[in-house]
Amino acid sequence: MLEAQSIIFGYGRRGDRGKGTAPVIDDVSLAISSGERVYLSAPSGSGKTTLCRIMAGFIKPWGGEVLVDGDVLPRHGICPVQLIGQHPEHVLDPRRRMRESLAEAGWDPNDAADATLLERLGIRERWLTRFPHELSGGEMQRFCIARALLAHPRYLIADEISTMLDMITQERIWQVLKEEQDKHGFGVLFTTHSPALADRIATRCVKLPE
């Protein structure tokens, strides 16, 4: 189970809370079990992306903690919680070719299952030798999704991952994610601005307090 326990966070120093700095996230708790697809619902500006980053270990909260199967998130090595964000251009190293970015996540070019995964995500072989700036936003996002899946996560956090993709590609990508989840049993926490997409994908909805 991936758990956020009594998370408190604001932008500023922790000690500023009593000086008029209101936390963006104030005492929020939620849990995701293996095999679930939990839709995190809240208005824009309510801290969804911030909470996603906290739960993946990218941001340290002011208070509370994140546990993955009862343990704190590891500080080193591949994290069992993988985050796919809204902006792949902020994640991919501009100095690395795409094949190097995939290899960093555990991609084996001689592994048939890895090759099949890239094909199912619509990643073309000629893209592997390119740098991020030579790809579109949607193409880069496919690589970020592939990297997260190649890391064999126990939990996957998908924060508005479809915004750079057309409707047909969105459906295809989410179908791949659901098939991979069925195969490997990881839990999913996701955000989206599309209620229709959430209705089709989610097994449960959690609403953040406004």
Side-chain angles (χ1 to χ4, degrees), residues 116-133:
T116 299
L117 175 63
L118 299 193
E119 182 180 354
R120 288 162 61 213
L121 290 171
I123 294 174
R124 300 178 182 178
E125 186 174 356
R126 66 175 180 270
W127 296 351
L128 295 172
T129 58
R130 296 181 181 176
F131 292 98
H133 73 270

Side-chain angles (χ1 to χ4, degrees), residues 141-197:
Q141 188 68 302
R142 297 176 201 227
F143 277 97
C144 288
I145 294 168
R147 279 164 49 97
L149 293 173
L150 287 166
H152 303 293
R154 280 183 267 167
Y155 299 92
L156 182 69
I157 299 177
D159 181 27
E160 292 289 350
I161 66 170
S162 301
T163 54
M164 292 189 176
L165 305 172
D166 60 69
M167 292 300 297
I168 294 175
T169 305
Q170 285 185 36
E171 293 288 346
R172 181 186 305 156
I173 292 300
W174 273 107
Q175 184 60 38
V176 172
L177 288 173
K178 289 167 69 176
E179 289 169 357
E180 289 296 302
Q181 183 188 36
D182 289 342
K183 185 187 301 182
H184 300 290
F186 54 81
V188 177
L189 177 69
F190 73 96
T191 71
T192 178
H193 286 303
S194 171
L197 181 65

Side-chain angles (χ1 to χ4, degrees), residues 21-183:
T21 301
V24 176
I25 299 170
D26 196 359
D27 196 21
V28 169
S29 298
L30 63 91
I32 301 98
S33 298
S34 299
E36 282 195 299
R37 292 187 298 274
V38 178
Y39 169 44
L40 183 60
S41 173
S44 295
S46 298
K48 295 191 299 294
T49 291
T50 299
L51 182 60
C52 287
R53 292 178 62 80
I54 289 172
M55 294 185 70
F58 286 89
I59 298 176
K60 184 177 180 180
W62 284 0
E65 63 180 351
V66 176
L67 300 177
V68 55
D69 298 332
D71 296 319
V72 296
L73 293 173
R75 294 186 178 181
H76 306 288
I78 295 177
C79 185
V81 182
Q82 288 291 309
L83 172 67
I84 309 168
Q86 303 176 36
H87 302 289
E89 70 276 11
H90 297 165
V91 176
L92 297 169
D93 188 336
R95 299 164 297 181
R96 289 176 179 262
R97 297 183 188 273
M98 303 314 299
R99 65 187 178 196
E100 295 173 306
S101 290
L102 289 179
E104 187 179 42
W107 171 63
D108 181 352
N110 298 313
D111 186 282
D114 287 0
T116 299
L117 175 63
L118 299 193
E119 182 180 354
R120 288 162 61 213
L121 290 171
I123 294 174
R124 300 178 182 178
E125 186 174 356
R126 66 175 180 270
W127 296 351
L128 295 172
T129 58
R130 296 181 181 176
F131 292 98
H133 73 270
E134 296 177 304
L135 300 173
S136 70
E139 290 164 355
M140 285 190 287
Q141 188 68 302
R142 297 176 201 227
F143 277 97
C144 288
I145 294 168
R147 279 164 49 97
L149 293 173
L150 287 166
H152 303 293
R154 280 183 267 167
Y155 299 92
L156 182 69
I157 299 177
D159 181 27
E160 292 289 350
I161 66 170
S162 301
T163 54
M164 292 189 176
L165 305 172
D166 60 69
M167 292 300 297
I168 294 175
T169 305
Q170 285 185 36
E171 293 288 346
R172 181 186 305 156
I173 292 300
W174 273 107
Q175 184 60 38
V176 172
L177 288 173
K178 289 167 69 176
E179 289 169 357
E180 289 296 302
Q181 183 188 36
D182 289 342
K183 185 187 301 182

